[in-house]
Amino acid sequence: MAATQIPNLLTARNPRPPGGGGPGGSSRARGGLRRHDAVEEPAVDRAAKDKIVQGTDLDANISRMSAVEVGYLSDPFAKAFATVGGQRRFPIINRGTYMRTRAIDLLVETFLDVQPSIRKQIISLGAGSDTRYFRLSSRRSPPDVLYHELDFPINTALKIATIHADPSLRHIVHIDDPISVLATDTELHAPNYHIHALDLRSLGRGLGPASPDGSGKLGHIDPALPTLLISECCLTYLAPDIADHVVRHFLSLLAPATPAALILYEPINPFDAFGKVMVSNLAARGIVMQTLHKYHSLEAQKARMRDYGFVTGKGAVDVDFVYQEWVEEPEKRRVSALEMLDEVEELNLLAKHYCIAWGWREGSRRGEDRGIWEGWRALRGTEEQEEVRD
């Protein structure tokens, strides 16, 4: 397929402004957009560009609901956040939504399920209307997890309003308990669940919100809990230096001995024919994936993990690898039977232009939490390395 014949799979199938990127046709990116030297942005002011990024959550919402309705995903909470209903996506988009969700769920659940007696912490960047906390909390044996979500105030306000309006969500959060839950229009703080209204760029510039003690640290983060950061196509919308500072900011909130990890879902391979068309089409509509050229390959993503200090283990695989190697054959047969997929070649191309990257550090503690990464070690695509010691 010639480059000029490759359709814009991320946007051409949807007449409204695109939803960011990646298999699934959407992303929950919440970083704001700035000029990237390698991509020419349209002449739109910053507020308009932020609005495009903030609006990607609607597209993610529609894609998730479509995948649920067809049967790719099981998510009893998706409908509560579906502000627009009945928009069925094309099979290629549904399949992409399934693959990215499956990959991130596997990494998250493996982190939580190994050593389940140990309380853990998750910090989800640009979470939008993501339902992962509610899905985890509704499991027969919910994990012991302190869960944080960060997003622009406009997006957190919508999520909190949805929680107030839905009885099942209210029950999980215990939002009616005035003693243990503090909720404003844009922030929510419960014993195990925190929604923070925050522009991540403020962290990248060292202008993060002040905590009650005036330390400038983000409140309610427990510095001692084994912690997992998640960026599902979020940091890619920040300038590379700011994206790097954001990750290091959160790591600075943890004690040096605390085990920590990062999961990234991001685009890769911008320099081949398909990648150039993908980038050009998105840039023409005001969407610039700013870290793409710096972290353009699987090797670059793995090096990024090491640079952040995740020196115990790391991995980076494209989404096609995820489907081929992480999804069992009976599940593949189930998925294939859901609907006819004509765009097999297109899906394969698209899946090779997005990746899942992960990395972790053991920390320096000696105890039962030293084994919490055993599940990740067993994943195909993981590479272990010796810890750096002074």
Side-chain angles (χ1 to χ4, degrees):
M1 182 178 292
T4 54
Q5 295 176 306
I6 297 173
N8 182 1
L9 297 175
L10 306 180
T11 60
R13 301 182 184 280
N14 185 0
R16 64 177 297 283
S26 60
S27 71
R28 300 194 323 274
R30 306 286 173 266
L33 301 169
R34 289 172 52 193
R35 181 183 178 87
H36 188 290
D37 291 340
V39 181
E40 198 68 32
E41 289 190 61
V44 202
D45 62 29
R46 173 168 166 167
K49 289 184 285 185
D50 281 357
K51 188 174 182 180
I52 292 172
V53 175
Q54 293 160 5
T56 62
D57 188 55
L58 173 60
D59 225 33
N61 203 317
I62 295 170
S63 293
R64 182 169 59 247
M65 194 64 227
S66 176
V68 169
E69 289 179 342
V70 176
Y72 285 95
L73 302 173
S74 176
D75 186 348
F77 304 102
K79 190 172 183 179
F81 292 100
T83 54
V84 179
Q87 294 193 24
R88 180 157 173 178
R89 296 296 201 193
F90 280 74
I92 189 173
I93 302 300
N94 287 332
R95 186 74 65 88
T97 300
Y98 166 82
M99 290 191 293
R100 69 187 282 180
T101 303
R102 176 86 181 207
I104 297 172
D105 280 354
L106 176 62
L107 285 164
V108 171
E109 290 170 10
T110 301
F111 165 69
L112 294 173
D113 291 345
V114 175
Q115 305 280 18
S117 62
I118 298 174
R119 182 166 170 81
K120 302 182 180 80
Q121 181 166 242
I122 290 177
I123 302 172
S124 180
L125 309 179
S129 60
D130 183 54
T131 62
R132 184 167 285 109
Y133 173 75
F134 299 99
R135 289 187 282 121
L136 290 171
S137 298
S138 65
R139 285 169 31 169
R140 180 170 298 178
S141 298
D144 187 7
V145 61
L146 179 59
Y147 204 103
H148 302 265
E149 296 181 347
L150 291 84
D151 212 328
F152 283 120
I154 191 172
N155 294 91
T156 61
L158 180 58
K159 188 162 200 174
I160 291 169
T162 302
I163 293 171
H164 275 291
D166 186 271
S168 63
L169 302 178
R170 293 172 69 97
H171 175 72
I172 289 173
V173 177
H174 301 292
I175 202 167
D176 297 316
D177 182 352
I179 297 176
S180 62
V181 177
L182 171 64
T184 67
D185 289 343
T186 60
E187 296 223 352
L188 186 152
H189 300 289
N192 293 317
Y193 182 50
H194 298 276
I195 298 177
H196 306 267
L198 181 68
D199 182 339
L200 290 175
R201 290 170 297 193
S202 67
L203 302 179
R205 300 189 190 104
L207 302 174
S211 61
D213 64 2
S215 65
K217 295 182 178 181
L218 195 67
H220 307 283
I221 302 263
D222 190 322
L225 293 181
T227 297
L228 172 61
L229 292 169
I230 303 174
S231 169
E232 188 176 350
C233 225
C234 174
L235 293 176
T236 191
Y237 284 80
L238 297 173
D241 59 334
I242 292 182
D244 294 343
H245 276 105
V246 167
V247 173
R248 293 189 174 102
H249 173 84
F250 282 104
L251 292 177
S252 75
L253 303 184
L254 306 177
T258 299
L262 171 66
I263 297 172
L264 296 170
Y265 171 82
E266 295 201 349
I268 53 172
N269 297 330
F271 302 120
D272 63 16
F274 186 93
K276 289 177 181 178
V277 171
M278 179 180 71
V279 170
S280 175
N281 287 343
L282 291 173
R285 307 190 74 167
I287 292 182
V288 182
M289 297 176 286
Q290 297 192 64
T291 65
L292 175 55
H293 288 77
K294 181 176 181 180
Y295 302 118
H296 59 86
S297 66
L298 298 177
E299 290 304 315
Q301 291 284 7
K302 286 186 279 189
R304 178 185 191 180
M305 291 292 173
R306 184 175 180 85
D307 290 344
Y308 287 155
F310 299 112
V311 295
T312 308
K314 64 187 184 305
V317 297
D318 62 41
V319 174
D320 182 63
F321 181 98
V322 167
Y323 189 71
Q324 299 303 326
E325 300 294 333
W326 291 7
V327 179
E328 297 178 350
E329 290 303 320
E331 176 65 3
K332 289 178 186 175
R333 290 194 292 271
R334 184 193 72 83
V335 167
S336 297
L338 291 174
E339 57 184 346
M340 181 69 69
L341 176 66
D342 293 325
E343 312 99 320
V344 175
E345 180 186 1
E346 295 165 310
L347 177 62
N348 291 340
L349 276 170
L350 189 59
K352 290 182 182 299
H353 285 77
Y354 284 82
C355 79
I356 297 290
W358 64 99
W360 75 93
R361 72 181 194 202
E362 290 279 14
S364 59
R365 297 197 306 220
R366 295 291 185 269
E368 62 177 353
D369 59 358
R370 296 284 290 178
I372 61 176
W373 308 112
E374 290 306 311
W376 282 21
R377 285 190 172 97
L379 286 172
R380 293 187 182 97
T382 292
E383 301 174 6
E384 288 195 71
Q385 55 196 16
E386 295 296 323
E387 285 201 51
V388 174
R389 299 185 185 278
D390 295 331

